[in-house]
């Protein structure tokens, strides 16, 4: 999840701007929770999936 569209309940400002301590803490917590695939776009994820399937098909073809 990104904090681009989140609104702070404390100051009513965008969390991404970090106007108050609550915003800054929430933004920091969200950034720490980001996983390996958090920065990838859906198109990149689809391309990785297609590449994985292609490798699996090639590996199966060489094994059989």
């Amino acid at each position: 999840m990104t904090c681009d569209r989140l609104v702070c309940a404390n100051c009513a400002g965008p969390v991404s701007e970090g106007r108050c301590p609550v915003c800054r803490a929430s933004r920091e917590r969200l950034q720490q929770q980001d996983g390996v695939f958090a920065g990838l776009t859906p198109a990149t994820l689809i391309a990785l999936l297609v590449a994985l399937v292609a490798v699996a098909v090639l590996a199966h073809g060489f094994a059989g």
Side-chain angles (χ1 to χ4, degrees), residues 5-59:
R5 296 184 181 175
L6 296 178
V7 176
C8 179
N10 191 45
C11 70
V15 172
S16 60
E17 292 180 7
R19 293 181 184 177
C20 72
V22 176
C23 293
R24 290 188 289 275
S26 295
R27 184 178 59 188
E28 183 66 29
R29 184 178 47 83
L30 286 170
Q31 289 173 352
Q32 288 176 356
Q33 288 179 351
D34 286 345
V36 175
F37 299 109
L40 298 177
T41 63
T44 305
L45 290 175
I46 291 171
L48 287 172
L49 181 62
V50 168
L52 180 64
V53 169
V55 167
V57 167
L58 287 174

